[in-house]
Amino acid sequence: QKEVEQDPGPLSVPEGAIVSLNCTYSNSAFQYFMWYRQYSRKGPELLMYTYSSGNKEDGRFTAQVDKSSKYISLFIRDSQPSDSATYLCAMSLDSSYKLIFGSGTRLLVRP
Amino acid sequence: SAVISQKPSRDICQRGTSLTIQCQVDSQVTMMFWYRQQPGQSLTLIATANQGSEATYESGFVIDKFPISRPNLTFSTLTVSNMSPEDSSIYLCSVEGQPKETQYFGPGTRLLVL
């Protein structure tokens, strides 16, 4: 079993839709949770960072962490074609710098 | 966030040869990291490079295959040695971010080994 599971997609939605992206994980000791966005032929770009459980909002993006269920989510409101990319979740145990990544979900927002 | 560049951006190499990938950061950083990203798979950490000390390799990666240099606080190289087609992948460098539990990534080097 992988430490972090993520549906590869692709997920295709119309412009303006609310998008929900999710990851599950097996190690209950993970403390730090991140979402990265990766455009084709580019490096991952940090989108959201959350410590422990709870919600965090930044513009159209909301990150949720449910440690009791070992489940994290990224919501994108009013999705735009420019949101079309691969979204990677990542997490770490502590400040040891070792990030464990999901395999990424491809998102396509249709105009 | 830090601006990170990598050279080359892509390359096609013959099996048995070696390729050195360069990573340059626009600010001084303590920790630099090298990852491999294979098609359809998650990013896998190869090693952590701390300036002034030997790189720390993850399970499954060895120094003879992936030697790393870290001569100063803004630069690092990763060499992929004695390449085989299985080494075809994207290689990414990253640096510690803000907050420090995060990382900023370079654009990656696409390697194809024939």
Side-chain angles (χ1 to χ4, degrees):
Chain A
Q1 182 189 7
K2 291 182 181 178
E3 278 193 282
V4 180
E5 298 276 2
Q6 188 174 6
D7 188 329
L11 178 62
S12 181
V13 301
E15 183 174 355
I18 297 174
V19 175
S20 173
L21 303 166
N22 311 294
C23 287
T24 58
Y25 61 94
S26 57
N27 190 342
S28 58
F30 283 133
Q31 299 259 33
Y32 303 92
F33 303 90
M34 286 143 267
W35 286 95
Y36 285 83
R37 177 175 63 196
Q38 186 173 24
Y39 290 113
S40 181
R41 302 184 183 278
K42 302 287 186 183
E45 167 196 11
L46 180 65
L47 264 183
M48 300 288 284
Y49 162 80
T50 310
Y51 169 69
S52 194
S53 284
N55 294 359
K56 186 171 185 179
E57 187 173 321
D58 184 1
R60 296 186 294 112
F61 299 91
T62 299
Q64 285 186 352
V65 174
D66 182 349
K67 291 190 73 177
S68 63
S69 302
K70 291 185 265 186
Y71 189 88
I72 69 171
S73 301
L74 177 70
F75 297 95
I76 307 174
R77 290 183 297 281
D78 187 25
S79 57
Q80 302 295 310
S82 58
D83 295 326
S84 298
T86 296
Y87 290 79
L88 302 154
C89 63
M91 45 200 79
S92 67
L93 296 172
D94 49 28
S95 299
S96 64
Y97 300 104
K98 182 171 181 178
L99 297 184
I100 308 298
F101 282 85
S103 55
T105 298
R106 278 186 57 208
L107 171 66
L108 174 63
V109 181
R110 308 186 305 273
Chain B
S1 64
V3 177
I4 304 168
S5 60
Q6 286 185 235
K7 289 181 182 179
S9 59
R10 61 193 312 158
D11 208 341
I12 300 173
C13 300
Q14 297 297 319
R15 69 169 66 211
T17 63
S18 298
L19 176 72
T20 295
I21 302 169
Q22 299 179 5
C23 179
Q24 180 77 51
V25 191
D26 69 342
S27 58
Q28 294 184 340
V29 294
T30 303
M31 307 294 289
M32 295 181 78
F33 310 89
W34 287 97
Y35 287 82
R36 183 171 70 183
Q37 186 177 28
Q38 294 180 309
Q41 299 187 27
S42 57
L43 277 75
T44 303
L45 181 64
I46 297 171
T48 301
N50 193 355
Q51 196 269 337
S53 62
E54 294 290 324
T56 302
Y57 289 83
E58 296 298 308
S59 175
F61 298 97
V62 295
I63 187 171
D64 289 347
K65 176 68 175 177
F66 297 101
I68 288 171
S69 78
R70 182 77 203 275
N72 58 51
L73 291 172
T74 62
F75 188 78
S76 178
T77 67
L78 170 76
T79 299
V80 186
S81 303
N82 188 25
M83 288 184 285
S84 68
E86 291 71 35
D87 294 319
S88 298
S89 187
I90 300 172
Y91 292 86
L92 295 145
C93 72
S94 70
V95 303
E96 64 199 69
Q98 285 295 334
K100 61 179 171 62
E101 294 81 13
T102 63
Q103 293 174 20
Y104 302 136
F105 284 83
T109 295
R110 289 177 171 268
L111 172 61
L112 177 63
V113 184
L114 302 177

